Amino acid sequence: MTFAWAALATGVLVGAGVLGLSVIEKNVSATGDTSLGGTTAASSAPAATVDPAETVVVLNATTTSGLAARAAATAKGDGWKVASTANADSTDVKISTVYYSETSQLGAALGLAKSLGIGHAPVRTDRFDVAGRSRLTVVLGKDFVASS
């Protein structure tokens, strides 16, 4: 009798395991995700948006004169509040980047990058923080192409 109960319990556990694995496989196939969580990183990222509460500072880190002003004009045209433009302390930056300091600013940073045609993810840093001011900072590199 004990052997029969043990065999039945083993069969139930194996069956539950097979069923569980098939459900997990189905979820992974449906989402294209290879993690067991069933959600993709893109779906958990904030939407790229224009956030009128965020101010923007545009820095030209190249030798191209007027680049920050042209980028600021594009940003303003897309609804961004540009606080200032200036030359950066370096003129040899290769890759343009949007910087943000608070996690809550990620969606706005993504939106600003999209507005300016910056094709890679914004970077979180406190390098450009000013006490009491929330803002996004764009550092324009040699890869930046200003729209006409």
Side-chain angles (χ1 to χ4, degrees), residues 58-69 71 85-97 99 127-128 137-144:
V58 183
L59 302 175
N60 181 1
T62 72
T63 57
T64 304
S65 181
L67 191 61
T85 61
N87 289 324
D89 58 1
S90 174
T91 59
D92 62 350
V93 171
K94 292 181 174 82
I95 299 173
S96 302
T97 305
Y99 294 95
R127 178 178 178 198
F128 300 102
T137 302
V138 180
V139 177
L140 302 173
K142 293 178 182 177
D143 67 332
F144 185 75

Side-chain angles (χ1 to χ4, degrees), residues 19 53 55 66-67 84 102 121 144-145 147-148:
L19 180 64
T55 58
L67 191 61
S84 65
E102 300 295 326
F144 185 75
V145 178
S147 61
S148 304

Side-chain angles (χ1 to χ4, degrees), residues 36-147:
L36 294 178
T39 59
T40 61
S43 66
S44 63
T49 59
V50 174
D51 185 350
E54 295 293 340
T55 58
V56 176
V57 173
V58 183
L59 302 175
N60 181 1
T62 72
T63 57
T64 304
S65 181
L67 191 61
R70 290 195 301 273
T74 298
K76 286 178 184 177
D78 287 345
W80 293 96
K81 182 171 54 175
V82 178
S84 65
T85 61
N87 289 324
D89 58 1
S90 174
T91 59
D92 62 350
V93 171
K94 292 181 174 82
I95 299 173
S96 302
T97 305
V98 175
Y99 294 95
Y100 66 101
S101 60
E102 300 295 326
T103 304
S104 62
Q105 295 174 306
L106 178 57
L110 288 165
L112 181 57
K114 183 177 179 182
S115 289
L116 295 175
I118 296 173
H120 64 280
V123 174
R124 184 173 180 197
T125 183
D126 60 358
R127 178 178 178 198
F128 300 102
D129 282 0
V130 175
R133 293 188 186 171
S134 174
R135 65 183 189 179
L136 303 173
T137 302
V138 180
V139 177
L140 302 173
K142 293 178 182 177
D143 67 332
F144 185 75
V145 178
S147 61

